[in-house]
Amino acid sequence: MEIAIKEQILAVVTEYPEKVQGNFGIFITKNDQETQHLALLLSRILKAMVHDLENGVYIIVKH
Amino acid sequence: MDKYSQIILLGIATGIAARIFMLRNDYRSYPSYPHGYVTHISLGIIAAALGSIAIPALLEKEFTAVTFLVLAAQQFRDIRNMERETLSKLENYNMVPRGFDYIEGIAKTFEARNYLVILVSLVSTGTAVLFNIWIGIFAGIFTIFISGFLMRGDFVKDIAIVKIGKLHFEKSLLMVDNIVIMNIGLEDSKKKILSEGIGLIIHPKNDNARATLNNLGQRQAILHDVSVLVGSKLETGEPDWTPLMRKDIDTGKLALYILPNEKDVECVIQAVYQTPILESAVQKPLESKIGRKAAD
């Protein structure tokens, strides 16, 4: 049986660490390009989806 | 030869013919494998045999034989369980799942088809006993077609109109016209969706249709059928391509988003139209006074 954490923030990717607080993996990047790439990698690894919070913070959530 | 053997054979033959007629292998691709056919035809033979002996047994005053029909009903209920179980197990590995409502619909249909076989056999043996064997054959064939006609349910084309919608992004939100589908974060995904995705708007024709299409099982059935017919680029671990349907809460119209293998809008629209309406999803608020009053 496959067990996965769903509907929860698995990781956060952002250039702005001051905007995020919490008990999950926060990946801090240097620019937008790196953010996009890291978000893509994480989404593929976690089989999850990248959501844009429109303030420079991207979250990875499995649905 | 016994006076009833010809009639019983006729009943069995028309019953089996009915089962084969109803065992169509269409795009739903179920059952698509030879073993599935064997199972259903064998059960069809049993159903046909039961239907055929009922009337001769009654005429011979063998009333206990008729009670076997009760046993048969129990037997055929198991078919529904069998279908439900198989399809539910396969569901985990379906890219776009059928949904439990669709499975229940399919399972129910398989059960009902065996009862129809019994009916066809009953009618043909009954008329053969009453009149002659030729009329029996004719009545059997007639019942097969009538049952085929009666068992054909509605399709989306009967209750809704499908139009092309404009697929676009408002910042990170994927939208079809004014209906939000989902939030997409990756820029590459956005570009791909805009160039290859298709957005449709499904307008229900009336409030009955609106209530029916509101059912999540019905929506999943539409998505499943569309992805089977035109193909979906959805891949495991890449949820951005998941086909989705969302409702405009004010008007009840539905937006459909899919990333098909071929960007052929007309085919996708036809695929939506061809989706059957699930029995479990059908709702008819307009049949009631309150519903009619609320609708205007």
Side-chain angles (χ1 to χ4, degrees):
Chain A
M1 199 170 67
E2 192 184 315
I3 296 173
I5 300 169
K6 287 188 172 180
E7 316 294 349
Q8 274 201 25
I9 300 176
L10 299 177
V12 178
V13 187
T14 181
E15 281 176 64
Y16 315 101
E18 70 278 6
K19 288 186 180 173
V20 192
Q21 266 188 348
N23 220 350
F24 28 69
I26 303 172
F27 295 82
I28 300 153
T29 54
K30 286 198 184 74
N31 52 41
D32 196 44
Q33 202 187 353
E34 194 190 348
T35 311
Q36 285 283 330
H37 187 62
L38 203 58
L40 173 71
L41 290 179
L42 279 167
S43 79
R44 293 294 182 267
I45 294 162
L46 297 168
K47 290 188 178 176
M49 195 157 171
V50 181
H51 291 296
D52 179 2
L53 299 187
E54 298 180 0
N55 61 351
V57 179
Y58 292 79
I59 56 173
I60 319 281
V61 182
K62 192 174 176 78
H63 294 288
Chain B
M1 235 168 140
D2 182 60
K3 58 179 173 174
Y4 291 122
S5 41
Q6 263 188 337
I7 288 167
I8 292 174
L9 278 179
L10 165 76
I12 295 176
T14 47
I16 295 170
R19 190 66 193 93
I20 292 171
F21 175 73
M22 287 185 280
L23 198 66
R24 276 162 303 185
N25 184 16
D26 60 4
Y27 67 91
R28 276 171 284 246
S29 183
Y30 191 82
S32 62
Y33 28 82
H35 291 97
Y37 280 138
V38 173
T39 313
H40 288 296
I41 290 176
S42 327
L43 287 163
I45 293 171
I46 296 171
L50 279 166
S52 326
I53 54 154
I55 284 174
L58 270 179
L59 290 175
E60 288 296 309
K61 304 212 182 334
E62 294 281 351
F63 298 116
T64 41
V66 183
T67 55
F68 274 95
L69 284 177
V70 181
L71 252 172
Q74 184 62 44
Q75 176 72 25
F76 295 128
R77 196 165 306 136
D78 285 345
I79 293 177
R80 190 200 289 205
N81 292 335
M82 178 182 85
E83 291 304 328
R84 187 195 292 127
E85 236 168 72
T86 320
L87 286 171
S88 307
K89 275 181 189 156
L90 297 174
E91 193 82 334
N92 290 338
Y93 294 104
N94 236 338
M95 265 299 169
V96 182
R98 285 187 175 88
F100 287 115
D101 295 59
Y102 204 171
I103 289 178
E104 202 55 46
I106 294 173
K108 226 186 279 175
T109 313
F110 273 100
E111 186 190 0
R113 281 175 182 171
N114 283 292
Y115 298 135
L116 285 176
V117 168
I118 296 182
L119 179 77
V120 168
S121 299
L122 263 178
V123 169
S124 60
T125 47
T127 44
V129 167
L130 274 179
F131 306 104
N132 63 45
I133 210 142
W134 294 106
I135 295 180
I137 294 173
F138 178 75
I141 294 170
F142 184 71
T143 323
I144 293 175
F145 283 108
I146 288 285
S147 58
F149 178 74
L150 290 177
M151 295 300 283
R152 201 183 55 206
D154 277 349
F155 294 89
V156 172
K157 67 171 178 278
D158 300 315
I159 66 161
I161 296 164
V162 182
K163 288 181 181 157
I164 303 169
K166 187 173 172 261
L167 204 60
H168 62 105
F169 278 95
E170 252 175 46
K171 290 188 180 171
S172 61
L173 292 178
L174 172 62
M175 323 235 330
V176 178
D177 285 359
N178 61 341
I179 304 168
V180 177
I181 301 286
M182 62 175 154
N183 178 304
I184 300 238
L186 293 170
E187 288 303 323
D188 291 345
S189 298
K190 287 185 186 176
K191 277 181 210 151
K192 193 171 174 69
I193 287 168
L194 283 181
S195 71
E196 296 171 30
I198 288 178
L200 297 178
I201 300 285
I202 301 168
H203 299 267
K205 284 182 182 167
N206 55 33
D207 273 26
N208 284 347
R210 183 174 172 173
T212 303
L213 289 170
N214 199 17
N215 183 294
L216 288 177
Q218 181 62 54
R219 292 191 213 171
Q220 191 58 40
I222 294 175
L223 291 172
H224 173 81
D225 269 13
V226 172
S227 348
V228 167
L229 288 174
V230 296
S232 160
K233 287 195 175 166
L234 177 62
E235 167 60 349
T236 171
E238 297 181 29
D240 288 2
W241 325 129
T242 314
L244 283 175
M245 272 174 95
R246 290 285 181 265
K247 181 177 73 167
D248 179 348
I249 53 168
D250 295 322
T251 60
K253 66 182 179 185
L254 292 159
L256 183 149
Y257 149 72
I258 186 169
L259 195 76
N261 286 343
E262 306 272 342
K263 193 177 176 178
D264 193 332
V265 183
E266 202 40 51
C267 289
V268 180
I269 292 178
Q270 288 310 319
V272 175
Y273 276 144
Q274 274 196 28
T275 310
I277 299 298
L278 306 179
E279 272 179 50
S280 56
V282 173
Q283 285 181 354
K284 292 180 173 167
L286 291 182
E287 301 287 306
S288 76
K289 216 173 182 180
I290 301 168
R292 275 194 300 274
K293 206 170 176 191
D296 55 41

